[in-house]
Amino acid sequence: MNPRILEPFIEKWRDGAMSRRNRNLPRGWYPWDGKDCKKEIESYLEGWSTPPDLSIKSLGGIIPHAGWYFSGRLAARVFRSLKSEKKVELVVVYGGHLSTEDLPRIVTEESWETPLGDIEIHTDFVKNLMKRIETKRESSSSGDNTIEIQLALVKYFFPEAKLLAIRSPVSLKAKTLGEAVAEIARKEGIQMIVIGSTDLTHYGPNYGFLMKGIGPAAVDWVKKENDKGFIDRALRMDIEGLLKHALENDSACSAGAAASAMATCKSLGAEKGILLDYYTSYDILPDDSFVGYAGIVY
């Protein structure tokens, strides 16, 4: 065979367009096989139903990204609140853990492994977005949890949908990204939902953040002041204020993901968020070090 015939395929393989992204997170983050994933997701929904005030069309939301033991219940209920009779063609998951100086990092593989089956990446959308704004390709060996932890949930609730997976920096580049995604979807007539993946305040000796010491007073401060400040801005869709609050108060680890989700939803007509639930890891497993989690639907 003439080697030149293979050159286009080799080039696509090199840039990730024909590759499969494998699971990177180890056991413990979420169940290892599909049967256990399905069982755990359904346990989170047992006896729970979507609140009546979310009966209108929902465009997206914000969910946490700790291991499922801590955040799975909240994430699953946000995803369930986003389901409707309308077919969803694309699920956008904005991840984070980037700095103010980073560019958005986009996943360019053709599919991503989950215990419930591979999710197809919307490669045409990826290409359009990369032409529109400056991005970097996400490393195939990245061990970042902010997106991967959500994918079995995506596959469970939206089994036929394709995926756009991109990490957002904590800067106004996150807003530009979110608006660009909305514009492409609107132009192409793509029905989608969007998720911003972020945990809130990381407090305690494990995180080097001890503004209020340790004990009940510290937990109270995180809940009623620090996390509340971030949540209030997220609910009123104040993108600039949310980014500023996160940077000045250490109130979120991936505020860029929330900002991008807000920007996309706002561009598509959302006017406010609804707080589905809020709790901290302290409420599940009391400890001097703990993390806040919020579930918001737009």
Side-chain angles (χ1 to χ4, degrees), residues 66-81:
W68 281 17
Y69 177 79
F70 291 104
S71 67
R73 168 168 57 96
L74 186 49
R77 292 178 180 184
V78 170
F79 270 111
R80 178 64 186 85
S81 299

Side-chain angles (χ1 to χ4, degrees), residues 27-155:
R27 293 176 186 271
W29 280 93
Y30 59 103
W32 195 254
D33 62 46
K35 182 180 178 182
D36 289 341
C37 273
K38 187 173 182 289
K39 182 179 179 181
E40 193 155 335
I41 292 168
E42 290 172 355
S43 76
Y44 299 142
L45 302 174
E46 190 173 348
W48 183 87
S49 57
T50 302
D53 56 351
L54 292 179
S55 59
I56 58 173
K57 181 187 175 186
S58 299
L59 298 170
I62 294 174
I63 57 178
H65 56 233
W68 281 17
Y69 177 79
F70 291 104
S71 67
R73 168 168 57 96
L74 186 49
R77 292 178 180 184
V78 170
F79 270 111
R80 178 64 186 85
S81 299
L82 295 174
K83 279 191 71 70
S84 66
E85 295 180 1
K86 202 160 192 176
K87 181 181 178 182
V88 173
E89 302 169 70
L90 177 68
V91 177
V92 181
V93 181
Y94 295 112
H97 289 162
L98 296 181
S99 73
T100 56
E101 302 303 317
D102 280 311
L103 290 172
R105 296 186 183 177
I106 191 165
V107 173
T108 58
E109 286 90 348
E110 191 177 46
S111 65
W112 198 330
E113 175 192 16
T114 89
L116 294 171
D118 290 1
I119 300 179
E120 183 181 350
I121 304 291
H122 201 311
T123 52
D124 287 340
F125 204 111
V126 169
K127 290 172 186 174
N128 286 339
L129 186 59
M130 292 178 77
K131 290 175 183 175
R132 188 176 293 267
I133 64 170
E134 189 178 5
T135 63
K136 289 179 65 176
R137 285 190 174 92
E138 173 73 338
S139 167
S140 60
S141 61
S142 170
D144 183 75
N145 61 296
T146 58
I147 294 175
E148 184 185 323
I149 196 73
Q150 317 298 356
L151 298 187
L153 292 158
V154 172
K155 189 67 176 177

Side-chain angles (χ1 to χ4, degrees), residues 234-284:
L235 294 178
R236 63 177 183 258
M237 305 189 83
D238 176 6
I239 295 171
E240 290 84 354
L242 178 138
L243 291 168
K244 186 173 185 286
H245 191 276
L247 288 169
E248 292 181 353
N249 299 281
D250 291 325
S251 55
C253 66
S254 302
S260 289
M262 290 162 57
T264 301
C265 291
K266 202 169 187 178
S267 295
L268 295 176
E271 297 178 350
K272 66 175 183 177
I274 297 171
L275 182 65
L276 196 64
D277 200 3
Y278 165 82
Y279 56 85
T280 72
S281 62
Y282 187 95
D283 299 312
I284 298 169

